[in-house]
Amino acid sequence: MQQKLTILMPSYNRGQYIRKAVSSILAQKTNFGIKLIITDDCSTDGSVEIIQELQEKYPDIIEIILSDKNERLLANILKAQVKVKTEYFCVLDPDDYYTDELFLQKAVDYLEEHKDFTIYSSNCMMLYDDKSEKSFIENNVKEVVFNFDDLLKNRVIITQTAGSIFRNVVYDQGVPQIIKEAIGTPSESSFRADTERYIFHLEKGKAFFKNESVAVYRIHKDGIWTKENQFHRNLLAAQAYYDYFRYFNYTHEYFIYHSLFYAKECFEELKKAITVHEFTQTVVQSDIERLFAIIVEDEKYVKETIMDSEQFCAKKTITVKKIIKYLLPYGFVRLIQKIWRQ
């Protein structure tokens, strides 16, 4: 059968889960061919041997990419992304798995019939270590269509990685330069996950969301996102939205406002940490440098492009001053002042 869809699986030390993830792909019922590219980032837990065994068993479906050194997630997944030759692709992390054996078929059928759509997405169940479950998207909507304008008006539903299928229209001409240049920089995390993938494809077409559970998203202590504390989650989001602003050639103030929102949330987490005497367990000096560098960039474009934002900026400045007051005993004031002047 002609291959129409490629599943990308970036792997690093997920040996205890990866068989189930791959089995859930092989169990998919489709009237078209699929390809699975597993790209391993120098795992040390036996994952490589499992991946090689699976590839030998299913050579027509599975392709593997192995690395002799750890390159981190962005570089790892891009090695697989550039190999996508099919019209559609998706990403399934090796610790997640599909539960609806018709999911890929339903997604491709919809996208085949609706050429102006670039995303088909569905809900997922979050599975915790204690075996409890919870829907990733909790609302009563049955199905809905979105476009890029809806994103700019905060009216989209971005589901988890396992629940989305994409038309290959962003990476089909190669990896955008801004993403390649992010490897090994603080912007690396901005271009490696669900939100980036969804936003960039939404700019190219419409998105359809069907509220049915099609996969399981494991929540465990070693997850890339779940192992971060709330401060670092907010810091990653502040960086990401600023980077999306850059990706779209410094247009759409939506991204700047979101970056500033998460920067403010960083300050709230710092305040909490200082109050309970856990500041040094929450952040390191480079985190503060990065946070203020993001704010300086955000504020520059707020001042240049948004003329009626005085109230918003005033509130943010008050928050910054408040946090500086909290930071006084920790010797960061000179550092902050130096960054602020740059």
Side-chain angles (χ1 to χ4, degrees), residues 5 30 60 70 113 159 170 174 200 248 263 320:
L5 183 142
T30 65
D60 295 335
N70 183 263
E113 294 173 11
T159 191
V170 173
F200 294 176
F248 289 110
V320 172

PDB file of all heavy atoms in Angstrom, residues 5 30 60 70 113 159 170 174 200 248 263 320:
ATOM      1  N   LEU A   5       1.196   8.365   5.628  1.00  0.00           N
ATOM      2  CA  LEU A   5       1.419   9.016   6.916  1.00  0.00           C
ATOM      3  C   LEU A   5       2.670   8.468   7.578  1.00  0.00           C
ATOM      4  O   LEU A   5       2.915   7.262   7.574  1.00  0.00           O
ATOM      5  CB  LEU A   5       0.207   8.810   7.824  1.00  0.00           C
ATOM      6  CG  LEU A   5       0.246   9.493   9.196  1.00  0.00           C
ATOM      7  CD1 LEU A   5      -1.130  10.017   9.581  1.00  0.00           C
ATOM      8  CD2 LEU A   5       0.740   8.533  10.281  1.00  0.00           C
ATOM      9  N   THR A  30      -5.828   0.787   8.850  1.00  0.00           N
ATOM     10  CA  THR A  30      -5.837   1.811   7.800  1.00  0.00           C
ATOM     11  C   THR A  30      -5.912   1.162   6.430  1.00  0.00           C
ATOM     12  O   THR A  30      -5.497   0.006   6.256  1.00  0.00           O
ATOM     13  CB  THR A  30      -4.571   2.685   7.861  1.00  0.00           C
ATOM     14  OG1 THR A  30      -3.430   1.856   7.575  1.00  0.00           O
ATOM     15  CG2 THR A  30      -4.391   3.327   9.233  1.00  0.00           C
ATOM     16  N   ASP A  60       9.522  -3.183   6.864  1.00  0.00           N
ATOM     17  CA  ASP A  60       8.807  -2.391   5.861  1.00  0.00           C
ATOM     18  C   ASP A  60       8.092  -1.183   6.463  1.00  0.00           C
ATOM     19  O   ASP A  60       7.679  -0.276   5.737  1.00  0.00           O
ATOM     20  CB  ASP A  60       7.778  -3.269   5.132  1.00  0.00           C
ATOM     21  CG  ASP A  60       8.428  -4.366   4.309  1.00  0.00           C
ATOM     22  OD1 ASP A  60       9.598  -4.181   3.913  1.00  0.00           O
ATOM     23  OD2 ASP A  60       7.782  -5.405   4.083  1.00  0.00           O
ATOM     24  N   ASN A  70      24.361  12.073  22.933  1.00  0.00           N
ATOM     25  CA  ASN A  70      23.078  12.694  23.266  1.00  0.00           C
ATOM     26  C   ASN A  70      23.041  14.108  22.698  1.00  0.00           C
ATOM     27  O   ASN A  70      23.896  14.939  23.006  1.00  0.00           O
ATOM     28  CB  ASN A  70      22.879  12.729  24.780  1.00  0.00           C
ATOM     29  CG  ASN A  70      21.535  13.291  25.168  1.00  0.00           C
ATOM     30  OD1 ASN A  70      21.402  14.473  25.480  1.00  0.00           O
ATOM     31  ND2 ASN A  70      20.518  12.446  25.147  1.00  0.00           N
ATOM     32  N   GLU A 113     -10.497  14.825   2.588  1.00  0.00           N
ATOM     33  CA  GLU A 113     -11.745  15.436   2.135  1.00  0.00           C
ATOM     34  C   GLU A 113     -11.755  16.956   2.299  1.00  0.00           C
ATOM     35  O   GLU A 113     -12.550  17.643   1.654  1.00  0.00           O
ATOM     36  CB  GLU A 113     -12.923  14.839   2.905  1.00  0.00           C
ATOM     37  CG  GLU A 113     -13.153  13.358   2.619  1.00  0.00           C
ATOM     38  CD  GLU A 113     -14.213  12.755   3.532  1.00  0.00           C
ATOM     39  OE1 GLU A 113     -14.904  13.542   4.222  1.00  0.00           O
ATOM     40  OE2 GLU A 113     -14.351  11.522   3.554  1.00  0.00           O
ATOM     41  N   THR A 159      -4.520  20.222  21.639  1.00  0.00           N
ATOM     42  CA  THR A 159      -4.492  18.976  22.379  1.00  0.00           C
ATOM     43  C   THR A 159      -3.062  18.465  22.551  1.00  0.00           C
ATOM     44  O   THR A 159      -2.100  19.096  22.097  1.00  0.00           O
ATOM     45  CB  THR A 159      -5.367  17.921  21.677  1.00  0.00           C
ATOM     46  OG1 THR A 159      -5.534  16.795  22.537  1.00  0.00           O
ATOM     47  CG2 THR A 159      -4.731  17.474  20.370  1.00  0.00           C
ATOM     48  N   VAL A 170       4.746  22.480   6.638  1.00  0.00           N
ATOM     49  CA  VAL A 170       5.717  23.389   7.269  1.00  0.00           C
ATOM     50  C   VAL A 170       7.139  22.921   7.001  1.00  0.00           C
ATOM     51  O   VAL A 170       8.020  23.705   6.659  1.00  0.00           O
ATOM     52  CB  VAL A 170       5.467  23.511   8.789  1.00  0.00           C
ATOM     53  CG1 VAL A 170       6.595  24.312   9.460  1.00  0.00           C
ATOM     54  CG2 VAL A 170       4.122  24.180   9.068  1.00  0.00           C
ATOM     55  N   GLY A 174      11.975  21.664   3.975  1.00  0.00           N
ATOM     56  CA  GLY A 174      13.125  21.695   4.868  1.00  0.00           C
ATOM     57  C   GLY A 174      12.788  22.354   6.188  1.00  0.00           C
ATOM     58  O   GLY A 174      11.731  22.963   6.354  1.00  0.00           O
ATOM     59  N   PHE A 200       2.276  26.600  14.091  1.00  0.00           N
ATOM     60  CA  PHE A 200       2.904  26.779  12.788  1.00  0.00           C
ATOM     61  C   PHE A 200       2.066  26.155  11.674  1.00  0.00           C
ATOM     62  O   PHE A 200       2.014  26.686  10.559  1.00  0.00           O
ATOM     63  CB  PHE A 200       4.312  26.186  12.775  1.00  0.00           C
ATOM     64  CG  PHE A 200       5.281  26.909  13.699  1.00  0.00           C
ATOM     65  CD1 PHE A 200       6.579  26.441  13.856  1.00  0.00           C
ATOM     66  CD2 PHE A 200       4.896  28.033  14.408  1.00  0.00           C
ATOM     67  CE1 PHE A 200       7.466  27.094  14.691  1.00  0.00           C
ATOM     68  CE2 PHE A 200       5.779  28.689  15.257  1.00  0.00           C
ATOM     69  CZ  PHE A 200       7.065  28.214  15.398  1.00  0.00           C
ATOM     70  N   PHE A 248       7.227  34.446  13.273  1.00  0.00           N
ATOM     71  CA  PHE A 248       6.286  35.136  12.396  1.00  0.00           C
ATOM     72  C   PHE A 248       6.744  36.553  12.062  1.00  0.00           C
ATOM     73  O   PHE A 248       5.946  37.468  11.888  1.00  0.00           O
ATOM     74  CB  PHE A 248       4.894  35.155  13.023  1.00  0.00           C
ATOM     75  CG  PHE A 248       4.230  33.801  13.044  1.00  0.00           C
ATOM     76  CD1 PHE A 248       4.045  33.113  14.235  1.00  0.00           C
ATOM     77  CD2 PHE A 248       3.814  33.207  11.869  1.00  0.00           C
ATOM     78  CE1 PHE A 248       3.446  31.869  14.252  1.00  0.00           C
ATOM     79  CE2 PHE A 248       3.213  31.959  11.873  1.00  0.00           C
ATOM     80  CZ  PHE A 248       3.026  31.281  13.073  1.00  0.00           C
ATOM     81  N   ALA A 263       5.986  35.451  31.888  1.00  0.00           N
ATOM     82  CA  ALA A 263       7.052  36.095  32.658  1.00  0.00           C
ATOM     83  C   ALA A 263       6.522  36.548  34.016  1.00  0.00           C
ATOM     84  O   ALA A 263       7.171  36.366  35.051  1.00  0.00           O
ATOM     85  CB  ALA A 263       7.621  37.273  31.880  1.00  0.00           C
ATOM     86  N   VAL A 320       7.430  43.775  38.479  1.00  0.00           N
ATOM     87  CA  VAL A 320       8.883  43.684  38.423  1.00  0.00           C
ATOM     88  C   VAL A 320       9.513  44.341  39.644  1.00  0.00           C
ATOM     89  O   VAL A 320      10.400  43.791  40.293  1.00  0.00           O
ATOM     90  CB  VAL A 320       9.423  44.328  37.129  1.00  0.00           C
ATOM     91  CG1 VAL A 320      10.936  44.414  37.180  1.00  0.00           C
ATOM     92  CG2 VAL A 320       8.977  43.526  35.918  1.00  0.00           C
TER      93      VAL A 320
END
